[in-house]
Amino acid sequence: MSCALSAGWAVCVLVPIVGVLQLATAISPALWPLAVSVGLALFGLGTAAVHRAAFQAAEGDELTLAGLAPPDRKWAADSVILIVIQALAVGALGLNVAFYLALRSMLGLALTVAFAYGLAIWLLACAYQWPLFIAGERGLITREDARRPSVFSVIRNSLMLLVLAPGHTLGVAAVATVILVPLVISGVGLVLIAPALGAFLFTQAVRDHMIQMGMLTPPDEGGPVPDNWVVPRE
């Protein structure tokens, strides 16, 4: 299932993005902003769909193609807004890291480290934001008026998870780095394994947090097994 979801994500997201960018380059560089916007929209919708499937699998629901489609326009719009905010923040933090690193001074080095830490924290928050986004859609996280959490509420909740459980987050991040980075670098792993595997990993991490906070019931592991030995009779 992980391979199928990852391959579907690549076909529906990576292939169209590459095609749109190549078409914009061939026609006119002025179309690049439009191409980037289309690419971000596809990336957001595809990533949200994979995390939706991961959440359904974690809850034991049957996975169907219809279940991967956006349930409504607001869900689709919110997923695009979320990826745009994530991309803008990553770009801003990355540009600051590059700028201060180029200063080649002690102050520049200190600011480079500070922004690099900020970038790392934001990337971890981004990994939590998609499962939290799906949890809101499924009614596991609601606002006081019983509506779905807004995109900004999802971002705030992801940062709260980082603050409330830094050790757990660092452990998940270390595991994700060891497993996912080689897959992404290999290229083949990016297409066949990494998208769905990352979604399953961070979805489970968010569900563990929600269980600890009493927002989800723990999984039923069955009752205690009596430790009795019985000698069979012939």
Side-chain angles (χ1 to χ4, degrees):
M1 182 176 63
S2 179
C3 291
L5 285 173
S6 297
W9 180 87
V11 171
C12 297
V13 176
L14 289 185
V15 174
I17 288 176
V18 173
V20 168
L21 293 177
Q22 288 181 344
L23 182 61
T25 303
I27 296 176
S28 172
L31 294 177
W32 266 83
L34 177 60
V36 172
S37 300
V38 172
L40 282 176
L42 291 173
F43 194 94
L45 291 170
T47 302
V50 172
H51 282 80
R52 198 164 186 247
F55 221 108
Q56 289 176 335
E59 293 190 331
D61 294 343
E62 182 180 357
L63 297 182
T64 61
L65 290 177
L68 298 177
D72 52 55
R73 293 180 180 178
K74 186 179 185 307
W75 186 92
D78 285 346
S79 65
V80 175
I81 293 172
L82 181 57
I83 192 62
V84 169
I85 294 175
Q86 290 178 346
L88 289 176
V90 169
L93 291 168
L95 287 175
N96 276 283
V97 170
F99 174 78
Y100 289 112
L101 184 61
L103 294 181
R104 299 183 182 279
S105 63
M106 292 300 296
L107 178 60
L109 180 60
L111 291 172
T112 298
V113 173
F115 279 104
Y117 273 116
L119 179 59
I121 291 172
W122 177 248
L123 289 175
L124 286 174
C126 288
Y128 278 157
Q129 285 162 17
W130 291 107
L132 289 170
F133 176 71
I134 303 303
E137 179 229 324
R138 297 179 72 82
L140 301 176
I141 301 175
T142 57
R143 299 164 65 176
E144 293 182 356
D145 54 3
R147 292 188 300 167
R148 281 188 233 165
S150 66
V151 173
F152 295 102
S153 296
V154 170
I155 294 173
R156 184 182 65 248
N157 291 337
S158 69
L159 295 174
M160 287 180 59
L161 284 184
L162 293 178
V163 173
L164 293 175
H168 184 269
T169 300
L170 289 176
V172 173
V175 172
T177 301
V178 171
I179 296 176
L180 297 179
V181 169
L183 293 174
V184 172
I185 294 175
S186 69
V188 177
L190 174 62
V191 175
L192 294 179
I193 303 174
L197 184 60
F200 282 112
L201 178 63
F202 285 101
T203 294
Q204 189 59 51
V206 168
R207 285 178 56 83
D208 289 343
H209 282 300
M210 295 176 71
I211 290 173
Q212 292 176 359
M213 295 177 183
M215 302 172 66
L216 287 177
T217 57
D220 185 11
E221 298 180 354
V225 179
D227 188 15
N228 297 328
W229 291 88
V230 178
V231 178
R233 298 180 179 178
E234 295 183 357

